[in-house]
Amino acid sequence: MSDITPHNARNGDFLAWPFFDEAHRRLGAELDAWCTRELKVDHHADTDATCVSLVRQLGRAGWLKYCVSASHGGALDQLDSRALCVLRETLARHDGLADFAFAMQGLGSGAITLAGSEVLKQRYLPRVASGEAIAAFALSEPNAGSDVAAMACSATRDGDDYVLNGEKTWISNGGIADFYCVFVRTGEAPGARGISAFVVDADTPGLTIAERIDVSAPHPLARLKFENCRVPASARLGEAGQGFKVAMMTLDIFRASVAAAALGFARRALDEGLARAKSREMFGQTLADFQITQAALGEMATSVDAAALLTYRAAWQRDVQGQRTTREAAMAKMFATESAQQVIDRALQMFGGAGVVSGAIVERLYREIRSLRIYEGATEVQKLIIARELLKDG
């Protein structure tokens, strides 16, 4: 295993870039030191129990406070994209499951932060920040993944309540969440304009876990079923028919952080590849002495820096310039995830057979990066978003 201390030449000096202020630099260094000291994830243990434990651990240490605003138990007055990215990159560089646990607290509660009533914010957000309540974001359906406007899960108004019927799938934290931010069709208008969002507690009658889903990089994932699931109208997030807008605003905030997680995976893979290249002896020299290895390392390092520049540009534009960053976040997410896949693949190749042994760091990274190219908008969807924004500006 390579050295992953925070301020070596590869991993620390990016925090000196002008995208950051001193608080971000301290945050990155402090989290890195905490991860090195405290983060001991057993990937062979029960995944559900491990994720619950990680949420509690991150909450006790104060890191989850960056997922909500200060007025509701958070660390900052408002969500800070650069802080979220620094935190996710650092966690991902140490362990992907820890990054997942952190990220879902933010994504799962983001719609409440953006559109919830004060009552809902006070009920849920402090518990998210402390790690006492586990959050989930329920948007995708069996026939409505990338095409969110095609969702069929519905909610019908019945007096002071709404009654939900239908299914959601590929829901991260499904099965362990204490509450779900659920997006359903309420029919105020056709397509995306007829969607509303609700907070649904996990123990609400009519909500069941229909299926647990196992994937290559294990994390809690499930299909949810709603059968005459009754929730009060006061659980609605924002106005009726505004759910799609709330969902897109939430994803816009956290999309750059997905790029940051991919960046953390790529940095770790580069570190592992460098360590392997310098230590692996073959044909009377080290792997690093071969020009073909040097060329691969050069391309890997360049990809990492390019991804970092795109990622932190998007976060900086949102935080400092107050710009809408749909295009920039899509570029960062697309490039960082795709390039991380290539960096990790090359690092694994340097390990030869040892790289595909179950449990090896590069083998785990290889499995963990794959889903990032799909969730929160697949690469192909990011390309469409970028093109749409270009055409709109033109």
Side-chain angles (χ1 to χ4, degrees):
M1 187 190 323
S2 65
D3 174 26
I4 55 168
T5 52
H7 294 297
N8 63 45
R10 296 182 301 282
N11 293 326
D13 58 1
F14 78 95
L15 286 171
W17 292 353
F19 297 125
F20 306 100
D21 58 32
E22 191 55 37
H24 296 113
R25 298 182 183 105
R26 286 197 305 271
L27 184 64
E30 289 170 4
L31 178 57
D32 191 276
W34 180 86
C35 288
T36 301
R37 185 178 65 251
E38 304 289 344
L39 200 57
K40 311 295 180 186
V41 180
D42 181 1
H43 287 270
H44 298 287
D46 179 88
T47 301
D48 285 3
T50 300
C51 281
V52 171
S53 176
L54 282 167
V55 171
R56 307 288 189 250
Q57 187 179 7
L58 290 164
R60 287 193 301 269
W63 303 117
L64 296 181
K65 290 184 177 181
Y66 290 90
C67 294
V68 303
S69 58
S71 57
H72 301 98
L76 304 172
D77 289 339
Q78 57 187 1
L79 293 177
D80 184 271
S81 187
R82 288 170 298 169
L84 290 169
C85 288
V86 168
L87 289 163
R88 287 203 66 182
E89 178 182 337
T90 304
L91 286 167
R93 189 160 55 86
H94 282 271
D95 192 274
L97 208 54
D99 166 65
F100 167 84
F102 173 86
M104 288 313 304
Q105 288 297 94
L107 181 64
S109 66
I112 301 175
T113 298
L114 291 171
S117 66
E118 186 59 28
V119 171
L120 291 175
K121 289 177 180 178
Q122 292 291 354
R123 183 182 302 163
Y124 292 101
L125 296 182
R127 293 191 295 137
V128 168
S130 66
E132 296 172 27
I134 296 177
F137 184 79
L139 181 64
S140 295
E141 296 183 9
N143 295 310
S146 298
D147 184 9
V148 176
M151 71 171 55
C153 191
S154 66
T156 304
R157 187 71 184 250
D158 182 17
D160 292 333
D161 298 334
Y162 280 86
V163 180
L164 279 61
N165 282 284
E167 292 187 355
K168 294 290 177 180
T169 194
W170 305 111
I171 307 306
S172 292
N173 276 348
I176 68 168
D178 294 290
F179 68 89
Y180 299 85
C181 287
V182 183
F183 298 83
V184 293
R185 181 163 301 287
T186 45
E188 289 76 15
R193 293 176 296 165
I195 293 170
S196 300
F198 297 87
V199 184
V200 183
D201 289 324
D203 59 359
T204 304
L207 167 57
T208 57
I209 304 301
E211 177 189 12
R212 294 303 301 272
I213 303 171
D214 294 325
V215 290
S216 56
H219 66 269
L221 198 66
R223 177 168 59 90
L224 314 180
K225 190 169 185 177
F226 299 88
E227 292 182 289
N228 297 319
C229 179
R230 185 175 292 269
V231 298
S234 59
R236 193 180 64 212
L237 297 168
E239 298 298 321
Q242 296 296 306
F244 182 79
K245 180 180 179 182
V246 172
M248 293 305 104
M249 288 170 59
T250 305
L251 291 172
D252 270 355
I253 290 174
F254 289 97
R255 188 166 282 139
S257 79
V258 179
L263 182 57
F265 291 151
R267 284 198 200 278
R268 182 62 182 271
L270 177 58
D271 284 351
E272 297 296 326
L274 279 166
R276 175 69 171 184
K278 290 188 289 186
S279 63
R280 174 63 168 167
E281 294 184 358
M282 55 192 308
F283 303 113
Q285 56 186 343
T286 66
L287 188 60
D289 291 321
F290 291 94
Q291 286 188 337
I292 194 169
T293 304
Q294 295 169 18
L297 290 169
E299 290 182 2
M300 292 161 70
T302 301
S303 292
V304 167
D305 271 15
L309 287 164
L310 283 170
T311 299
Y312 289 109
R313 177 191 69 164
W316 173 80
Q317 283 183 315
R318 180 189 177 275
D319 292 343
V320 178
Q321 296 192 324
Q323 292 183 6
R324 180 171 168 269
T325 57
T326 300
R327 181 179 69 179
E328 290 79 7
M331 287 179 171
K333 201 270 186 185
M334 177 187 72
F335 185 85
T337 56
E338 290 292 327
S339 63
Q341 181 84 66
Q342 296 171 11
V343 170
I344 293 166
D345 185 75
R346 286 184 168 178
L348 189 150
Q349 194 75 5
M350 292 176 188
F351 280 78
V356 293
V357 172
S358 180
I361 292 174
V362 289
E363 183 269 342
R364 193 177 75 230
L365 289 169
Y366 194 85
R367 288 184 288 107
E368 288 175 328
I369 188 56
R370 192 60 187 84
S371 62
L372 267 68
R373 294 169 60 199
I374 298 171
Y375 81 69
E376 291 193 39
T379 293
E380 292 75 13
V381 173
Q382 303 309 319
K383 292 177 181 179
L384 294 176
I385 292 171
I386 296 163
R388 183 190 65 201
E389 294 297 312
L390 285 171
L391 292 167
K392 184 190 302 182
D393 293 343

